[in-house]
Amino acid sequence: MNPPAHCPSCRQPMVQKIFARQLHGEVELDFCFACQGIWFDDFESVQITPGGIIELFKLIHQHRDEPRLPLSEPLHCPRCNERLLHGLDVAKGGHFNYHRCLQKHGRFTTFAQFMIEKGFVRQLSAAEIGALSAKVGIVRCTGCGAPVDIRHEHACGHCRSPIAILDPAAVEQALARYQQAEVKRTTPDVEALGDAIVMREKERSRYQRERQADTLDTLDVGDLIASGAELVWNLIRH
């Protein structure tokens, strides 16, 4: 487990929060609420369970109205202090950006960009930006906090983040998707469990017959229960 990181932007100690990890264990993430950013070691962003993503969204939502510091330039890795490289990727919510360590220590992502990655935020179309620009000339970039004149730009000129909004419909759909995935992840498949127990006992019986062809071994009920309990435990644990 890594010690608490210092924010790649403001260099202040980050706050560690624990979330459930896929398969088993925990993921310990580092947050800077002043810069509204998250530091992910290695591949932590894809290791969080669906339920953990919902908890993370709630945490971000709790800090949504706090004053935000603009990101400094350049950003430095909290593990090796090397300069972070700007990256761009695409997910269900659209294009999102981040800053990654060339030594593969991890990446720094703002709250808004994480929500785009996980489908909570929707990017605006050119027509929607045009309609918005008639009412609001300048907006704050969701990626770095810089001002963007949407009358002339459809993306941030500083970090190239597209213009995005927290769409209630997108939030509702994302929450429903993660809730369903969490229920599926934590609910044992009874039919699959029964099939697995039967197949396991068939294999055991076949093995015993091959070793003792002249003896007909009967299946002890205790073995079946023990096998079932072991399989249930494995399903719950994973």
Side-chain angles (χ1 to χ4, degrees):
M1 184 176 296
N2 288 311
H6 284 72
C7 177
S9 180
C10 70
R11 310 300 291 171
Q12 295 301 308
M14 303 182 82
V15 178
Q16 290 188 326
K17 299 288 183 179
I18 295 175
F19 301 88
R21 183 189 295 270
Q22 296 277 11
L23 300 181
H24 61 85
E26 297 175 333
V27 176
E28 195 168 50
L29 303 182
D30 299 278
F31 292 83
C32 179
F33 295 112
C35 296
Q36 295 189 7
I38 314 170
W39 175 259
F40 295 101
D41 287 312
D42 301 323
F43 298 99
E44 286 179 333
S45 66
V46 296
Q47 294 174 344
I48 309 171
T49 64
I53 292 175
I54 294 175
E55 293 303 313
L56 206 164
F57 172 77
K58 292 178 180 178
L59 180 65
I60 290 174
H61 188 68
Q62 290 172 5
H63 294 270
R64 68 190 184 282
D65 295 327
E66 295 183 12
R68 175 184 174 181
L69 297 175
L71 297 185
S72 63
E73 182 62 36
L75 302 178
H76 293 276
C77 174
R79 304 304 180 198
C80 66
N81 205 39
E82 287 197 13
R83 179 170 180 167
L84 298 179
L85 181 68
H86 180 268
L88 189 67
D89 209 337
V90 64
K92 186 178 181 65
H95 290 86
F96 65 96
N97 68 71
Y98 51 87
H99 297 81
R100 61 184 177 88
C101 174
L102 290 175
Q103 303 303 320
K104 300 182 178 180
H105 289 130
R107 65 180 174 93
F108 183 72
T109 304
T110 63
F111 290 174
Q113 295 301 305
F114 177 80
M115 289 192 291
I116 292 175
E117 178 185 354
K118 299 304 180 183
F120 291 104
V121 173
R122 180 174 64 85
Q123 293 178 357
L124 298 180
S125 66
E128 289 174 319
I129 294 175
L132 183 62
S133 66
K135 301 176 182 179
V136 181
I138 297 177
V139 299
R140 189 174 64 177
C141 173
T142 57
C144 66
V148 182
D149 188 342
I150 58 175
R151 293 166 297 186
H152 307 291
E153 299 176 297
H154 287 187
C156 176
H158 180 68
C159 72
R160 300 186 293 279
S161 294
I163 307 302
I165 60 170
L166 187 63
D167 186 349
V171 171
E172 185 177 351
Q173 292 172 6
L175 286 175
R177 186 169 65 252
Y178 288 120
Q179 286 169 347
Q180 291 171 2
E182 183 66 11
V183 169
K184 182 177 181 180
R185 186 186 74 86
T186 56
T187 303
D189 188 331
V190 177
E191 291 187 3
L193 176 61
D195 292 341
I197 293 174
V198 172
M199 290 300 297
R200 179 169 181 160
E201 295 309 324
K202 284 183 177 179
E203 285 296 312
R204 177 179 295 179
S205 297
R206 183 186 62 80
Y207 178 70
Q208 289 174 343
R209 287 196 302 270
E210 289 177 353
R211 294 191 60 185
Q212 301 176 358
D214 57 341
T215 302
L216 179 61
D217 293 326
T218 58
L219 179 63
D220 192 320
V221 173
D223 291 338
L224 183 62
I225 294 175
S227 298
E230 181 181 355
L231 285 169
V232 169
W233 166 247
N234 288 333
L235 282 173
I236 295 174
R237 184 181 62 182
H238 294 97

